[in-house]
Amino acid sequence: MSDRKAPRKKLLKALAGEKANGIPVWLMRQAGRYLPEYRKVRAEAGSFLDLCYTPDFAEEVTLQPIRRFGFDAAILFSDILVVPDALGQKVAFKEGEGPVLEPVTDLAALAKLSSPDVVRGKLAPVYETVTRLSGSLPSETTLIGFAGAPWTVATYMVGGRGSPDQAAAKAWAYRAPDEFQMLIDLLVEATVEHLSAQVEAGAEVLQVFDTWAGSLPELSFERFALLPMKAIRKKLKERFPDVPVIAFPRGAGGMAERYFRETGVTGLSLDTGVSPAWARDNLQKAGCLQGNLDPLLLVAGGAEMRRQALHILETLGQGPFIFNLGHGIVPQTPPEHVAELVRLVQEWRS
Ligand code: 1CP
């Protein structure tokens, strides 16, 4: 292989299973309300979706945490709910309430959604943002594109909003699994198109967020979380054999090992509940791991944050590893704590 083809960026090296010089670090939701410069652009943009769909704004807020902290990766600023929006389900983000959608709870509503091929046209401004970012990021920074996993996106589409127990989506999935499967299949296709368009625009790594995977019992997890991810991974591999895919099956617990092996994803993002030593012994041989500091330790900062970050580094830092949180940064996080955490990871030597 020529030198030119060898991955040189730290994050790509870790995903290729190579020993990098130091551990790469980025944080889920690294752009967002904890940053004053984000709140300023957010206010200027008006609605949250306008922020996502205006390349000038979306590029700027993606770059903000890179300028401030020098993360090894930038994640496109967007949201998992742009896919249902593109499919024709009206999505609004209400202040203090989160996303609100007109619920899709039966076949009649499902039939009104568009086919997956509309995604590329409808989300053109998102891909324009990716193109711009691939030109404006520092040369050592990896650009991550993303999407929500079918199950997690379906929980919002069916429930019409976020919910602690995903009861609405479960009601449909358990009452009429073959009907619910049609929604999942539509989302598999739409997600593949959305992720493919991001790669074509310059994304170097893809992450798929299955935030609510952990609420599914084994047989439903297999059908609605594991198999859809496996199908997405397979289709992406056919189109882009060299593009790594990281999956975040939050709360997968005892299903994590099978999920990692059977989906064939390159990297597995661990939630806070996973023991680093268990992950090292049972998961790291299947590929690169990412995670898993509690976002609330980042709020607290200080000695306890440092102690637990070092515990993760010392346990997982010998294998292919990317330092991250176990879930997204929360709005009350002091930016100084983020700076301190990044410094700690960058200065750590295995
Ligand atoms: O007003 C605001 O600023 C809205 C807050 C916000 C932000 C900053 C939302 C609404 N989305 C985002 C950006 C976002 N969302 C990113 C950007 C890139 C980055 O990480 O910096 C990403 C990757 C997401 C993904 C996302 N959106 C997930 C999966 C990951 C996770 O955190 O679990 C989910 C579940 C969503 C839905 C969503 N969007 C926004 C909110 C408040 C929510 C959660 C709603 C709920 O369940 O109550």
Side-chain angles (χ1 to χ4, degrees):
M1 221 200 321
S2 76
D3 269 2
R4 233 165 44 81
K5 273 203 85 185
R8 269 157 297 161
K9 298 181 184 186
K10 244 193 207 168
L11 193 104
L12 294 175
K13 276 191 173 176
L15 285 163
E18 293 170 29
K19 193 111 187 115
N21 193 15
I23 300 291
V25 54
W26 70 280
L27 304 179
M28 291 190 263
R29 292 270 178 112
Q30 63 190 21
R33 280 173 295 174
Y34 77 107
L35 289 177
E37 59 269 36
Y38 170 86
R39 295 195 295 269
K40 190 160 169 278
V41 176
R42 171 81 173 77
E44 221 182 305
S47 82
F48 177 74
L49 278 180
D50 283 334
L51 176 55
C52 294
Y53 292 150
T54 310
D56 277 345
F57 290 142
E59 179 190 15
E60 168 57 23
V61 296
T62 305
L63 292 170
Q64 285 171 347
I66 306 304
R67 287 190 201 113
R68 222 190 228 259
F69 306 115
F71 287 118
D72 292 289
I75 182 159
L76 164 72
F77 190 85
S78 179
D79 196 79
I80 63 168
L81 299 177
V82 299
V83 167
D85 194 53
L87 293 174
Q89 185 181 15
K90 236 173 55 201
V91 178
F93 284 84
K94 301 240 165 94
E95 211 55 62
E97 236 188 281
V100 181
L101 305 83
E102 241 165 68
V104 170
T105 54
D106 56 23
L107 287 184
L110 184 58
K112 288 194 199 128
L113 296 176
S114 309
S115 66
D117 45 281
V118 304
V119 165
R120 284 174 181 263
K122 286 273 169 59
L123 299 181
V126 175
Y127 312 132
E128 168 65 20
T129 304
V130 175
T131 302
R132 291 188 189 194
L133 283 165
S134 63
S136 56
L137 278 168
S139 59
E140 67 277 14
T141 314
T142 302
L143 180 54
I144 304 178
F146 77 93
W151 162 249
T152 287
V153 174
T155 65
Y156 293 94
M157 293 180 77
V158 179
R161 54 180 62 241
S163 69
D165 56 7
Q166 298 78 54
K170 283 186 174 180
W172 194 5
Y174 296 162
R175 175 175 56 77
D178 294 339
E179 274 182 37
F180 185 73
Q181 183 73 51
M182 293 167 74
L183 172 59
I184 295 291
D185 290 346
L186 168 65
L187 288 170
V188 166
E189 297 300 326
T191 304
V192 168
E193 289 312 311
H194 185 44
L195 292 172
S196 295
Q198 292 178 58
V199 173
E200 286 159 18
E204 301 168 277
V205 171
L206 299 170
Q207 176 148 328
V208 179
F209 291 87
D210 212 347
T211 301
W212 302 116
S215 73
L216 291 169
E218 184 167 33
L219 299 181
S220 307
F221 178 94
E222 192 173 38
R223 181 165 183 182
F224 299 126
L226 194 159
L227 290 176
M229 187 66 237
K230 184 177 174 181
I232 290 168
R233 206 305 167 246
K234 181 167 179 280
K235 286 171 204 265
L236 289 170
K237 188 137 202 159
E238 284 161 12
R239 293 183 187 180
F240 314 105
D242 299 328
V243 174
V245 176
I246 302 170
F248 178 49
R250 181 168 162 262
M255 295 296 288
E257 193 183 358
R258 258 192 75 196
Y259 181 95
F260 199 10
R261 230 182 326 109
E262 292 181 24
T263 58
V265 291
T266 326
L268 195 73
S269 201
L270 308 174
D271 61 81
T272 298
V274 179
S275 147
W278 180 84
R280 178 196 58 209
D281 297 343
N282 294 282
L283 301 174
Q284 213 164 22
K285 55 184 173 294
C288 184
L289 298 179
Q290 173 174 280
N292 67 345
L293 190 79
D294 187 346
L296 294 180
L297 280 164
L298 195 56
V299 175
E304 192 58 14
M305 175 185 85
R306 291 193 296 274
R307 190 174 81 88
Q308 300 218 24
L310 285 170
H311 172 64
I312 291 168
L313 284 166
E314 276 154 17
T315 311
L316 289 163
Q318 309 299 328
F321 184 57
I322 299 164
F323 194 93
N324 206 312
L325 301 177
H327 198 190
I329 293 185
V330 295
Q332 68 270 33
T333 304
E336 315 82 75
H337 295 177
V338 177
E340 189 183 357
L341 178 68
V342 171
R343 220 173 317 119
L344 180 148
V345 178
Q346 286 171 345
E347 286 168 4
W348 184 81
R349 285 286 170 274
S350 54

